[in-house]
Amino acid sequence: HNVSFHLVYPLHSKAASSGNGHQGALALTLVECPTLPRRLRELQPSAINYGHQIAYPVNLLRNVARRNVRSQFVFVVDIDLQVSQGLHDAFLAFAKDNSLFSRADHQEVFVVPAFEAAEHVTPPRNKAELLGLLERGAARPFYAELCHKCHKHTDYEAWTNAPSALDNKLEVLYQVSWKDPWEPFFIAHNSAPLFDERFRQYGFNRISQACEMHIAGYSFAVLNNAFVVHRGLKRSGDFHREKDKDLDRNRLNFRQFKTELKEKYKQSPRRCY
């Protein structure tokens, strides 16, 4: 599969230097793929999530990726999430079986349920292995401790109780009506609304897009065998110190965003609540 990296740098910030004298992103010019992780660590050896002086432009980065992708369908996930084994090929087969590449209407997205697994366990490759971890208490739904309501509309009980397909064939298991504050991970046609770039740092950056898609008339279909898993259980004490301030600031942005959606989609009967 083809992989590309896109580097984004603030226009008004001085270039950072690495210990070997190279200037910032310029140090990555013509880097061989096997050496890339080491070079990135050299450029930012002590970075932590959201711990920079510059507000992390998460939605800008997502849009850069989407604007440069060549495929019709995209799956925007965080870098610390691992997808179920064979999802790429399974979705291509699913798309061909359901004529998704030739369909004129692309207002259906395909939800991939998200989970967290304890760090000491091997990440599950398929649904059967994931169900085993859930039964042992070594895995749980994503954000179960931090924001249970942010993912509960995925309906984890229905998903886990549905039988697994041994051949890993993807099918739509059920439809879910979007409700605030659901922020699922999903595969969508790349014509879907972009992410709003006002949302920086932590909070409301993904739900704002899901909210707009709901108002624009999109439907959400949950896939049967696909999932993503975060290695390690997310806990409230693991976040950066300014998390609550980020949430307060982006909550105000979200209120303004929802007001603008009413004007943008005047004919839509749907609302973000």
Side-chain angles (χ1 to χ4, degrees), residues 213-229:
M213 294 176 73
H214 166 67
I215 290 183
Y218 281 76
S219 60
F220 295 79
V222 180
L223 295 174
N224 60 339
N225 292 319
F227 62 87
V228 294
V229 62

Side-chain angles (χ1 to χ4, degrees), residues 47-273:
I48 59 173
N49 284 350
Y50 309 109
H52 307 277
Q53 294 181 350
I54 300 169
Y56 188 65
V58 56
N59 277 356
L60 168 65
L61 298 175
R62 288 167 173 158
N63 287 342
V64 167
R66 284 190 52 190
R67 288 187 175 109
N68 286 278
V69 75
R70 296 183 179 182
S71 59
Q72 288 189 44
F73 288 86
V74 294
F75 187 22
V76 180
V77 292
D78 297 340
I79 197 169
D80 55 357
L81 293 177
Q82 180 173 317
V83 302
S84 50
Q85 189 176 68
L87 177 55
H88 176 271
D89 292 340
F91 184 80
L92 287 181
F94 168 80
K96 291 176 182 177
D97 290 344
N98 291 276
S99 303
L100 297 186
F101 294 117
S102 57
R103 184 187 296 181
D105 176 19
H106 292 292
Q107 287 197 308
E108 182 178 37
V109 301
F110 304 97
V111 175
V112 178
F115 296 84
E116 306 168 1
E119 288 191 17
H120 67 274
V121 302
T122 301
R125 295 168 297 177
N126 52 51
K127 187 172 182 177
E129 292 182 0
L130 174 60
L131 293 177
L133 293 180
L134 290 168
E135 186 174 349
R136 288 161 39 200
R140 64 186 184 185
F142 193 67
Y143 263 37
E145 179 179 322
L146 297 178
C147 184
H148 169 69
K149 60 185 180 181
C150 292
H151 285 267
K152 74 172 185 177
H153 297 303
T154 300
D155 197 346
Y156 287 100
E157 183 177 359
W159 191 85
T160 55
N161 288 334
S164 303
L166 296 179
D167 59 0
N168 202 37
K169 183 178 180 180
L170 285 186
E171 296 176 351
V172 170
L173 199 55
Y174 49 84
Q175 300 277 341
V176 177
S177 297
W178 187 88
K179 298 181 182 68
D180 183 42
W182 192 33
E183 50 178 22
F185 294 98
F186 50 77
I187 300 171
H189 193 271
N190 204 23
S191 59
L194 291 170
F195 294 88
D196 191 288
E197 296 176 8
R198 285 173 291 187
F199 295 93
R200 300 185 179 191
Q201 290 288 103
Y202 182 83
F204 297 92
N205 48 72
R206 284 194 303 110
I207 189 178
S208 52
Q209 188 214 25
C211 163
E212 178 170 1
M213 294 176 73
H214 166 67
I215 290 183
Y218 281 76
S219 60
F220 295 79
V222 180
L223 295 174
N224 60 339
N225 292 319
F227 62 87
V228 294
V229 62
H230 179 273
R231 189 163 191 176
L233 303 179
K234 285 182 170 288
R235 305 187 187 281
S236 57
D238 297 337
F239 281 82
H240 59 296
R241 291 183 300 175
E242 303 297 317
K243 173 193 171 187
D244 290 340
K245 291 183 179 179
D246 291 343
L247 282 172
D248 290 341
R249 180 173 55 254
N250 281 327
R251 186 175 290 108
L252 295 177
N253 285 334
F254 191 45
R255 290 174 184 169
Q256 176 63 29
F257 178 76
K258 289 190 289 186
T259 299
E260 294 170 4
L261 290 182
K262 294 179 183 178
E263 183 67 22
K264 184 176 181 179
Y265 299 96
K266 291 181 179 180
Q267 305 304 317
S268 176
R270 298 181 174 186
R271 293 293 181 265
C272 280
Y273 48 74

